[in-house]
Amino acid sequence: MTTAAGATSQVRYQAIVAIVTAALAGALIGVALTATAPVPGVAEVSEVVSAAIPIVRVLLDLAAVTTIGLALLSVLVGYDRPKLTEPIMRRARPIALAASLVWTTTALVTLVLQTAEYRPQVPTVSFADIWDYVVQVGAGKALLVVAVLALVQVGLGVLTLRHGEKVPAEVRVGLGLFALLPLPVTGHAANWDYHDYTMISMELHVMGAVAWTGGLGAMVVLLAANRTLLAHALPRFSKLATLCLVLVSATGLFNAVVEILLNPTISLFTALFTTPYGQLVVLKMMCAAGIAVLGAMVRWKLMPRIVRHERTALATWATLELTAMGLAFGFAVVLTRAPVS
């Protein structure tokens, strides 16, 4: 049983609106939780810069999610039925190209904003200031690398737009995941006693979260109305999602515990419930629990029916899951910059 041609090409923009809105809301909630009073005699960062950094960083993360998710979609639907998959991928390619452009742009804008944050006493940021930030600060180098790799992804997007799946999706996915590796350096203040371990854990955490969210989002937006392709792609994605759930949960818990337990000035429970860092950790844990429940609903209740090509409420349940993921991304952006105490 297949869907009608019109349904096959349907794009569900509600899911995009849901995750973007939730991510921005999560970032703003995090900013509100971590706001501090000005210190007399200390140069203060502009409120505009302080608010803009997490917002732009959320957009950067979502652009990466979109770029990688749409490349992953090509792998999930397979290459053996081009008559079915090509109409979907024709829609995906320009979106992926636009997302990679946003990824590049937001990385550069974040670089400028973090330079302004680094030098609050300077009224305007010059190219020399930005270069000094890149040379002197690891986060500056990381953002520049991310921008360059995202720009390479733009080039691959242009080639894919012209030549289709002759540009291997695995290359696009691999490059996208590789471009995520410097991101933890741009925000997280890892405990230096376990710096190497926490950096590896953070990188795995970011890659798992992006692949999971991107794959789910791509399927909901472009495949939800196509029962034939969905029945093929969802079981494959479910295995990936299970792996990502375990990876993201384990690394997220490890990162939080290391940051809190190795701080000698505060106990675990006090840090969790009385500090902005701990409160953001708790909020992320609540999101993770909600995502796991919603994912289980899709896996055990809906997927058997989807495999039989039956109509389901997948779009609704998956949009709820994406909303929780968006909130988690928003909280995470602020969490990377929040002190433990």
Side-chain angles (χ1 to χ4, degrees):
M1 179 178 179
T2 59
T3 57
T8 299
S9 61
Q10 183 178 350
V11 177
R12 295 185 177 272
Y13 294 104
Q14 301 95 321
I16 300 174
V17 173
I19 189 172
V20 172
T21 303
L24 292 174
L28 292 175
I29 291 170
V31 169
L33 282 175
T34 56
T36 57
V39 179
V42 177
E44 289 294 321
V45 179
S46 163
E47 292 182 358
V48 173
V49 171
S50 297
I53 288 175
I55 291 173
V56 175
R57 179 57 192 272
V58 160
L59 297 177
L60 184 156
D61 289 350
L62 292 181
V65 164
T66 304
T67 304
I68 294 170
L70 291 171
L72 188 60
L73 181 65
S74 182
V75 178
L76 293 172
V77 298
Y79 308 105
D80 55 341
R81 293 178 292 180
K83 289 184 179 180
L84 280 176
T85 59
E86 186 57 23
I88 298 295
M89 298 317 300
R90 267 201 301 267
R91 282 185 171 270
R93 288 170 198 140
I95 300 173
L97 176 58
S100 60
L101 283 167
V102 173
W103 190 357
T104 305
T105 303
T106 50
L108 293 173
V109 172
T110 303
L111 177 59
V112 174
L113 290 171
Q114 290 192 188
T115 302
E117 181 186 49
Y118 182 68
R119 306 189 68 170
Q121 71 280 5
V122 177
T124 57
V125 174
S126 66
F127 284 109
D129 294 327
I130 296 171
W131 182 247
D132 286 343
Y133 181 71
V134 170
V135 171
Q136 297 174 18
V137 182
K141 296 181 180 69
L143 282 167
L144 186 59
V145 170
V146 170
V148 170
L149 292 175
L151 188 60
V152 175
Q153 193 74 266
V154 171
L156 286 178
V158 172
L159 290 175
T160 305
L161 204 59
R162 293 180 177 178
H163 303 291
E165 298 311 306
K166 291 180 181 179
V167 181
E170 292 82 358
V171 172
R172 287 174 276 146
V173 173
L175 176 63
L177 292 175
F178 184 73
L180 297 175
L181 294 179
L183 282 179
V185 181
T186 67
H188 275 284
N191 190 293
W192 284 96
D193 291 336
Y194 289 85
H195 180 263
D196 292 342
Y197 300 108
T198 53
M199 288 305 299
I200 293 171
S201 177
M202 290 170 192
E203 288 167 346
L204 292 173
H205 186 80
V206 170
M207 287 193 293
V210 168
W212 185 9
T213 308
L216 179 63
M219 285 198 305
V220 172
V221 172
L222 292 171
L223 288 190
N226 190 316
R227 298 183 202 173
T228 301
L229 289 179
L230 191 62
H232 176 76
L234 186 59
R236 303 178 75 180
F237 173 74
S238 181
K239 296 175 183 177
L240 173 64
T242 301
L243 175 62
C244 289
L245 172 61
V246 174
L247 181 65
V248 170
S249 300
T251 53
L253 184 61
F254 173 78
N255 296 340
V257 168
V258 167
E259 289 288 342
I260 293 174
L261 288 185
L262 294 184
N263 187 320
T265 64
I266 194 166
S267 67
L268 174 62
F269 289 103
T270 301
L272 280 177
F273 297 106
T274 65
T275 68
Y277 183 92
Q279 290 162 357
L280 286 170
V281 168
V282 171
L283 287 171
K284 272 197 72 180
M285 290 171 61
M286 292 171 62
C287 288
I291 292 165
V293 170
L294 292 166
M297 172 67 184
V298 172
R299 172 65 180 85
W300 301 111
K301 295 292 185 181
L302 301 186
M303 195 166 74
R305 295 177 58 196
I306 289 170
V307 171
R308 296 193 298 269
H309 294 204
E310 296 177 8
R311 183 186 296 273
T312 66
L314 172 68
T316 300
W317 286 100
T319 299
L320 289 173
E321 190 175 350
L322 287 169
T323 301
M325 288 173 165
L327 279 170
F329 268 94
F331 296 145
V333 163
V334 182
L335 186 64
T336 62
R337 299 164 50 79
V340 176
S341 58

